[in-house]
Amino acid sequence: MDPNKPKPLIRVLAKFIDLFIVMVLSALLYPVGPLLGFLYSLFGDALPPSPGQSLGKKILKVRVVSTLNPNAPISYRTSLYRNAPVGVATFFALI
């Protein structure tokens, strides 16, 4: 296993933190909150000021890197592709 790659438990905890953020956004900012939460679940890894880190990843000090260029931030498209399965599940959970 790559020593720089975070352990699966850390990655799952970061996703749970992100899902908590989605739930809070949805509850506090209703009726716009569910849409904001859904968009965050899709694009959270690419948002400024820390591209490659959603809030959950930032708290746990991990980040997403490109396999082609580890120093380059990931794009919105890459974040969308990576997070689409969770984003769709989050969408159906919120409606």
Side-chain angles (χ1 to χ4, degrees):
M1 181 180 228
D2 183 358
N4 294 324
K5 188 174 182 179
K7 294 186 171 153
L9 179 61
I10 298 297
R11 295 169 61 181
V12 169
L13 288 174
K15 188 54 78 176
F16 275 126
I17 292 169
D18 290 335
L19 289 174
F20 178 76
I21 291 166
V22 167
M23 299 299 258
V24 168
L25 279 174
S26 297
L28 293 179
L29 301 174
Y30 192 82
V32 182
L35 175 62
L36 294 175
F38 173 65
L39 292 173
Y40 175 78
S41 70
L42 292 176
F43 300 108
D45 291 339
L47 293 175
S50 303
Q53 289 183 307
S54 63
L55 289 175
K57 288 180 181 71
K58 189 168 188 71
I59 290 168
L60 296 177
K61 297 178 173 57
V62 296
R63 71 182 183 106
V64 178
V65 296
S66 168
T67 55
L68 300 175
N69 184 357
N71 295 323
I74 68 164
S75 66
Y76 286 100
R77 180 186 298 175
T78 303
S79 182
L80 174 67
Y81 291 159
R82 289 177 45 83
N83 295 309
V86 172
V88 170
T90 302
F91 174 75
F92 285 113
L94 292 174
I95 59 169

